Amino acid sequence: CKNVPSCPHKYFTVYHLFFCPSAFLVSMCPRLKMVFSGDLFYLSCDNSVGESGVKWYFNNKEEKQTNKTWKFAVASPKHSGSYQCEHNGQKSDNFSLDVMGKPHEHHASLTIKTGHPVMQYGHSVMLQLDNEDGLEGWVCWVHREGKKTRKIKFKLENSGHAIFQTTKLEVPETIFWCTDKSQDKRSNQVIVRTSAQDISLEMYPFPAVVGEPLTLKCIAWGTDQISDTVFYKDNTIIMHAANPTYKITDVSESTQGPYRCNATYTHKARTSGPAYQRVSDIQDVFVKEPPIKAVLSEGNSLSCSCPECPSNVSYHWYHKNDDQPWGLTGSPSSDMTPQKRGTYACKAVWNNMRSALSNSYNFQTNNSNPAVIAICLVVVGMLAVVIGLALYYQRKKRNTASK
């Protein structure tokens, strides 16, 4: 973990053990070289005795937090500043925290390929890491609650993506993320929680994004035979139906809060007896601000812009057909002319960051260049003339023969 000592030395060394035995340290776990909006991390008042009775100060103002460990479920720029902890009248030195400004997308994407954000205790998930610039030199990390951060080894079989399975999930909350060797470039975090219950409440995406849809799903492990579902927020029923899915079309700050579900279900192999009825663990829904988004506009060609981005940006263009994944296409210019049918979109790219994908544009071949259309019409016209002449001479020859 990243520590800031209470004594006037840069690092907590043997000097502190002899000359500052009661020094307090503010540490950050997991250790993140850069903290982005939406990250999960903890600040801890190290060397203090007990789990409570600690005073926390943010920019020299006392906070209500009194636990030894302070959890930041969704980091935002408002958390940037100076932190101190105090125990028995003794304060730590300042710990400076800088959360990156406007939310944006990460250099690489880490997603759950197989599994869910909430898993049964002792199970595991498959994670997929994607980076369109390649993954040579990239590593992944795991931070388990109350334990050290460890490196994850995986086999790089493809230059653009890697898939790996986690070890057994045996703590309430586990954080995964990936970086390049320098840790200047990194992916988003993936947080996986565990539950000992027979059903779980899943959230997609996690954390929720303001202005975007959010899906809550009640899952019964080992079966999809759910006949009745009740969703709660703050112990208030928000939906009672046979459908095990609850959708929020437009997330806002008020969406935040504790949710749970109650499900009535059975198993296909069970032919008699009453249905099971179980309640999930409470899951907290956290909300983060939407990332900066590029804007695609249509004219003589397609143009990509990003009004909220820095000035030194380049652009990546993407193309796909139907349900295929997006693929890089074109040059890093702000303008491009579509050459093949399909859907196009773009992103702004700068330093180690990028914007969210822009709105999309569907290009069809009948929207082709007028010159191409003219050439096609000429060719069709010439073919029509040739066919017409052939029919004329064939008819003329037939009439001559009949005479």
Side-chain angles (χ1 to χ4, degrees):
C1 290
K2 182 180 176 183
N3 292 328
V4 176
S6 178
C7 293
H9 281 250
K10 188 175 181 181
Y11 300 105
F12 188 68
T13 62
V14 175
Y15 174 90
H16 295 81
L17 297 178
F18 286 98
F19 297 99
C20 308
S22 60
F24 296 131
L25 306 171
V26 174
S27 67
M28 174 183 173
C29 287
R31 181 175 180 176
L32 301 171
K33 189 171 183 179
M34 292 183 291
V35 182
F36 294 96
S37 292
D39 280 346
L40 165 62
F41 66 90
Y42 301 85
L43 293 184
S44 178
C45 190
D46 293 348
N47 295 347
S48 60
V49 180
E51 293 298 321
S52 60
V54 174
K55 290 183 179 179
W56 283 94
Y57 297 87
F58 175 51
N59 292 335
N60 298 318
K61 184 179 179 181
E62 186 175 347
E63 297 290 315
K64 293 180 180 179
Q65 178 72 25
T66 59
N67 291 331
K68 177 180 178 178
T69 302
W70 189 352
K71 180 179 179 179
F72 293 77
V74 180
S76 75
K78 68 181 182 182
H79 294 136
S80 297
S82 176
Y83 291 83
Q84 285 180 290
C85 67
E86 179 183 332
H87 186 68
N88 290 334
Q90 189 173 7
K91 278 187 178 181
S92 70
D93 279 354
N94 288 324
F95 177 91
S96 295
L97 176 67
D98 182 23
V99 180
M100 304 295 286
K102 284 272 189 180
H104 53 268
E105 290 197 343
H106 295 275
H107 199 87
S109 170
L110 185 64
T111 54
I112 299 176
K113 182 174 178 61
T114 304
H116 302 280
V118 181
M119 294 294 294
Q120 283 186 302
Y121 182 88
H123 288 228
S124 62
V125 297
M126 297 283 286
L127 297 178
Q128 179 169 324
L129 175 65
D130 293 282
N131 183 9
E132 60 197 28
D133 296 330
L135 290 172
E136 191 67 39
W138 279 70
V139 294
C140 293
W141 308 86
V142 56
H143 179 79
R144 298 179 177 89
E145 192 174 337
K147 298 183 180 181
K148 291 183 178 180
T149 298
R150 296 191 179 278
K151 187 184 294 186
I152 299 175
K153 295 180 180 179
F154 61 87
K155 188 176 180 181
L156 185 61
E157 297 180 349
N158 182 292
S159 61
H161 75 270
I163 299 172
F164 58 94
Q165 184 172 2
T166 68
T167 56
K168 290 182 179 180
L169 300 163
E170 298 178 329
V171 295
E173 196 168 59
T174 306
I175 310 170
F176 300 93
W177 74 101
C178 305
T179 67
D180 67 350
K181 284 183 179 179
S182 67
Q183 297 192 29
D184 290 329
K185 299 176 182 178
R186 55 161 277 207
S187 73
N188 56 293
Q189 292 180 334
V190 167
I191 296 122
V192 183
R193 299 165 175 173
T194 57
S195 172
Q197 303 301 324
D198 292 330
I199 68 171
S200 69
L201 178 64
E202 306 291 348
M203 293 160 283
Y204 311 97
F206 180 82
V209 181
V210 171
E212 299 291 332
L214 171 67
T215 299
L216 303 180
K217 189 171 185 179
C218 201
I219 292 179
W221 296 108
T223 181
D224 59 358
Q225 307 294 302
I226 297 177
S227 58
D228 188 74
T229 313
V230 183
F231 287 91
Y232 298 85
K233 180 187 178 185
D234 291 315
N235 295 319
T236 300
I237 295 176
I238 55 175
M239 190 185 91
H240 186 178
N243 188 354
T245 300
Y246 176 70
K247 293 186 177 181
I248 300 172
T249 56
D250 189 1
V251 168
S252 65
E253 290 290 338
S254 63
T255 305
Q256 282 193 148
Y259 291 77
R260 61 185 170 91
C261 66
N262 184 328
T264 302
Y265 65 95
T266 188
H267 293 271
K268 287 183 178 180
R270 194 165 185 259
T271 57
S272 62
Y276 300 107
Q277 190 176 66
R278 299 287 186 271
V279 179
S280 73
D281 286 332
I282 292 174
Q283 300 295 343
D284 290 315
V285 170
F286 299 106
V287 172
K288 69 175 184 178
E289 290 297 314
I292 295 172
K293 189 174 183 179
V295 178
L296 186 152
S297 53
E298 175 192 355
N300 294 329
S301 61
L302 299 182
S303 178
C304 191
S305 61
C306 185
E308 296 184 87
C309 294
S311 56
N312 57 330
V313 299
S314 59
Y315 295 93
H316 284 186
W317 286 93
Y318 302 85
H319 170 267
K320 71 172 183 176
N321 285 317
D322 301 325
D323 295 329
Q324 293 179 347
W326 290 104
L328 271 174
T329 186
S331 63
S333 167
S334 60
D335 297 298
M336 72 98 65
T337 301
Q339 300 296 326
K340 53 186 177 181
R341 68 175 297 275
T343 305
Y344 290 82
C346 63
K347 286 183 181 180
V349 180
W350 69 100
N351 296 334
N352 301 321
M353 309 167 203
R354 55 197 63 200
S355 71
L357 196 68
S358 70
N359 52 304
S360 61
Y361 171 74
N362 190 22
F363 175 74
Q364 300 297 333
T365 51
N366 58 4
N367 293 334
S368 299
N369 193 306
V372 175
I373 295 175
I375 292 172
C376 291
L377 290 174
V378 170
V379 172
V380 171
M382 291 177 66
L383 287 172
V385 170
V386 170
I387 293 171
L389 288 173
L391 292 173
Y392 171 77
Y393 284 114
Q394 186 180 16
R395 184 176 180 182
K396 186 176 180 181
K397 185 178 180 181
R398 190 178 299 162
N399 292 337
T400 304
S402 63
K403 290 180 181 179

